[in-house]
Amino acid sequence: IMRNEEVESETRIYDRSFCQFATMAHGFRAAARLLQNYQDRHKLRTTREIIRRWAPENENNTEAYISNVCERTHMAPDDCLLLHKPWDLTHLVFAMCAQECGVRYSPYVDDYLMDAWQEACKMLEKEGRL
């Protein structure tokens, strides 16, 4: 999901291009922070803009990814997102997680995943990012 140079130090190297995190909460926090950086630093405001950077066409079927995420979030591809608002951030990260993990994956019913997300939100709040 994330390139090694874009994440903080509590990651473990999974391969040369992507990271594996010590905990699910750390992974969610890193994803949330990266997406917030997309919005803050790169001025990416919509699902379409964000996914085009996250899942570029040279590696993914980006249009299908955008469509699937929008279907899960009930938002249009060009609707403006506010990723410092827990609602927008949570729905985007969960939809992207479902896209990354496959069709059968449902983060909304997975208690472990919800616990990890709540822990990630606590970390973000402590950092002043939520």
Side-chain angles (χ1 to χ4, degrees):
I1 292 176
M2 288 173 232
R3 309 231 180 270
N4 291 327
E5 67 270 9
E6 297 180 80
V7 295
E8 57 277 331
S9 62
E10 65 261 349
T11 62
R12 293 176 288 170
I13 302 302
Y14 178 74
D15 65 28
R16 297 180 73 88
S17 300
F18 299 95
C19 291
Q20 178 182 11
F21 296 89
T23 68
M24 192 177 291
H26 283 108
F28 279 125
R29 181 183 69 172
R33 289 179 65 180
L34 184 59
L35 293 172
Q36 287 173 334
N37 285 339
Y38 282 6
Q39 194 156 78
D40 296 344
R41 293 183 186 160
H42 304 286
K43 307 301 181 212
L44 305 178
R45 302 276 181 243
T46 68
T47 300
R48 183 184 314 280
E49 293 169 338
I50 291 165
I51 299 299
R52 282 186 174 158
R53 182 173 177 100
W54 179 278
E57 291 183 6
N58 64 321
E59 299 174 5
N60 300 277
N61 181 342
T62 304
E63 289 306 313
Y65 198 125
I66 292 166
S67 178
N68 291 337
V69 167
C70 288
E71 184 177 327
R72 287 183 178 96
T73 60
H74 305 287
M75 305 247 334
D78 297 312
D79 287 350
C80 186
L81 300 170
L82 301 172
L83 297 182
H84 289 280
K85 301 280 186 187
W87 178 266
D88 283 0
L89 184 62
T90 299
H91 284 85
L92 181 62
V93 171
F94 278 171
M96 291 173 70
C97 183
Q99 174 67 24
E100 295 286 340
C101 294
V103 177
R104 294 181 181 260
Y105 184 74
S106 178
Y108 296 102
V109 298
D110 185 339
D111 290 338
Y112 180 73
L113 184 60
M114 291 300 292
D115 290 346
W117 178 249
Q118 288 172 350
E119 183 61 28
C121 286
K122 288 178 193 173
M123 289 184 224
L124 288 167
E125 285 176 327
K126 191 174 186 178
E127 297 168 3
R129 295 187 57 95
L130 258 189

